[in-house]
């Protein structure tokens, strides 16, 4: 995110939304059109929504499948936000880099979003337009005594006909989900306590901001 927002000269003057996907996210054919619509509707339909998402925060949930948009917990599958939100995120670099949890999204939920002063929602559709692909990803470790995790790359997730085309309606109301965070005092799942990791994280946050204290 540091490189995309602050390091690429091609978008230095771009303030709109950017969609972030990870190596184990499978995008449906309507993903681009839907995220464009959600990003455009966010300001008027859901002022409390900081981002737009292509899927529910619960990666196993396919969506409500109702005629309404959904304000949900910010998820990590196909998420888009603008430069204003990036600046808010970047301003908490020290807290983010110092939290002892190897999951970046949990670190955001625990030490960044709560500081924004209200419930942090993301706007999404009632059906997912992306999904977590397989069970491995690059973040899954290998259990001792068991063979390495392996996904058959040819087994792509099935896509229903309705998810192959734009399937949102700008006239739909917004339904607000209950957002459950982490209990105050949660210390993280660990894996991010080494000072070298934390310092490298801070170096990334400051490498495009020479002379600016993070």
């Amino acid at each position: 995110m540091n490189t995309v927002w602050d390091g690429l000269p091609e978008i230095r003057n771009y303030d709109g939304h950017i969609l972030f996907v990870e190596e184990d996210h499978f995008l449906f054919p309507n993903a681009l059109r839907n995220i464009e619509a959600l990003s455009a509707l966010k300001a008027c339909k859901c002022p409390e929504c900081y981002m737009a998402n292509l899927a529910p925060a619960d990666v196993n949930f396919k969506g409500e499948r109702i005629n309404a948009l959904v304000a949900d917990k910010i998820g990590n599958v196909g998420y888009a936000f603008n430069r204003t939100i990036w600046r808010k995120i970047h301003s908490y670099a020290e807290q983010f880099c110092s939290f002892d949890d190897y999951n970046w999204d949990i670190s955001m939920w625990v030490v960044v979003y709560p500081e924004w002063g209200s419930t942090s929602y993301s706007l999404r559709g009632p059906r997912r337009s992306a999904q977590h692909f397989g069970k491995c990803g690059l973040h899954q470790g290998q259990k001792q005594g068991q063979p390495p995790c392996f996904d058959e790359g040819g087994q792509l997730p099935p896509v229903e006909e309705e998810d192959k085309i734009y399937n949102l309606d700008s006239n739909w109301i917004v339904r607000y989900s209950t957002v459950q965070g982490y209990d105050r005092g949660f210390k993280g799942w660990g894996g991010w306590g080494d000072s070298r990791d934390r310092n490298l994280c801070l170096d990334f946050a400051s490498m495009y901001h020479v002379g600016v204290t993070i």
Side-chain angles (χ1 to χ4, degrees):
M1 292 182 184
N2 286 294
T3 297
V4 170
W5 283 112
D6 298 330
L8 298 180
E10 293 84 357
I11 62 170
R12 191 160 293 160
N13 297 317
Y14 175 72
D15 294 327
H17 287 70
I18 292 179
L19 172 66
F20 288 86
V21 294
E22 300 180 8
E23 89 286 347
D24 53 359
H25 294 170
F26 177 77
L27 300 183
F28 293 179
N30 64 1
L32 181 59
R33 182 67 185 89
N34 278 8
I35 201 67
E36 288 177 337
L38 290 167
S39 299
L41 290 169
K42 184 164 58 68
C44 61
K45 285 287 189 177
C46 183
E48 306 93 335
C49 291
Y50 291 95
M51 301 187 187
N53 262 111
L54 286 174
D58 179 354
V59 297
N60 296 313
F61 183 45
K62 294 183 178 181
E64 297 79 3
R65 302 187 172 219
I66 57 177
N67 292 331
L69 300 174
V70 181
D72 196 7
K73 178 180 181 179
I74 296 174
N76 64 4
V77 178
Y79 48 98
F81 54 92
N82 58 29
R83 188 176 294 276
T84 299
I85 298 304
W86 165 242
R87 287 172 178 157
K88 289 174 68 72
I89 294 172
H90 189 270
S91 68
Y92 289 93
E94 184 172 354
Q95 295 91 325
F96 174 84
C97 292
S98 300
F99 187 65
D100 191 11
D101 195 308
Y102 70 98
N103 300 284
W104 72 266
D105 51 342
I106 293 179
S107 296
M108 295 286 287
W109 289 331
V110 176
V111 300
V112 178
Y113 301 148
E115 297 300 318
W116 291 358
S118 62
T119 302
S120 300
Y121 289 103
S122 181
L123 188 65
R124 63 170 175 83
R127 301 171 65 94
R128 62 185 181 182
S129 294
Q131 76 175 77
H132 188 272
F133 178 63
K135 61 183 179 180
C136 294
L138 297 181
H139 57 283
Q140 296 290 344
Q142 178 182 348
K143 294 183 179 179
Q144 188 173 5
Q146 296 185 7
C149 183
F150 176 76
D151 281 332
E152 176 55 59
Q155 296 179 352
L156 296 176
V159 179
E160 299 179 37
E161 288 299 317
E162 189 171 345
D163 299 323
K164 294 180 180 179
I165 59 173
Y166 174 69
N167 56 9
L168 303 176
D169 189 331
S170 61
N171 294 315
W172 284 347
I173 64 170
V174 176
R175 172 179 171 179
Y176 286 79
S177 298
T178 300
V179 174
Q180 296 181 339
Y182 288 82
D183 293 335
R184 185 175 296 277
F186 175 66
K187 300 298 183 182
W189 295 110
W192 200 257
D194 192 310
S195 60
R196 293 170 296 181
D197 287 328
R198 296 182 174 190
N199 290 334
L200 181 60
C201 179
L202 288 170
D203 285 345
F204 284 143
S206 61
M207 64 183 175
Y208 299 112
H209 300 266
V210 177
V212 178
T213 301
I214 300 299

